[in-house]
Amino acid sequence: MARVSQVRRVLLVGWGFLGAAVGRRLALDGQSLVGLTRSDSVEARRARALGIQMVIGDAANSAVLEEALNGVDYVICAAGGLLPPEAQERPAADATATLLPLLSLLEALRK
């Protein structure tokens, strides 16, 4: 008997280098996708051209997370902090930029 796969709605937090690559693959595989990113970048515009719903905002903001989480079945967190050269120079700022969105996401998922 063939397995019937259901399309699930996935929220992908972070649409940078890694998140955009994962998002494109999921979209090409037919998944319903919502992307959450800090800025309306070239990658975010390319995602919209593929039919991906994009939410622009800070993942540490509870209102932004509430909008992005509406109706999703799964969450993938690919949000990073600073770019590598700056992260090396400012490790504490990088840790804060990485962990605050993750902690906010985990808190929103508890609700």
Side-chain angles (χ1 to χ4, degrees), residues 45-57:
R45 291 188 291 278
R46 286 180 184 153
R48 278 195 208 93
L50 290 174
I52 299 169
Q53 176 190 345
M54 296 300 294
V55 175
I56 308 300

Side-chain angles (χ1 to χ4, degrees), residues 80-101:
L82 305 175
L83 294 174
E86 189 176 359
Q88 186 174 8
E89 292 176 17
R90 302 176 46 218
D94 183 52
T96 300
T98 301
L99 293 176
L100 283 180

Side-chain angles (χ1 to χ4, degrees), residues 28-108:
L28 291 172
D29 285 346
Q31 293 299 311
S32 175
L33 199 59
V34 177
L36 172 57
T37 186
R38 287 182 276 205
S39 61
D40 193 14
S41 66
V42 169
E43 288 295 337
R45 291 188 291 278
R46 286 180 184 153
R48 278 195 208 93
L50 290 174
I52 299 169
Q53 176 190 345
M54 296 300 294
V55 175
I56 308 300
D58 188 346
N61 180 308
S62 60
V64 170
L65 282 172
E66 184 177 330
E67 176 187 351
L69 285 166
N70 187 32
V72 301
D73 301 297
Y74 299 102
V75 176
I76 299 170
C77 185
L82 305 175
L83 294 174
E86 189 176 359
Q88 186 174 8
E89 292 176 17
R90 302 176 46 218
D94 183 52
T96 300
T98 301
L99 293 176
L100 283 180
L102 177 59
L103 292 172
S104 297
L105 176 60
L106 292 172
E107 184 62 31

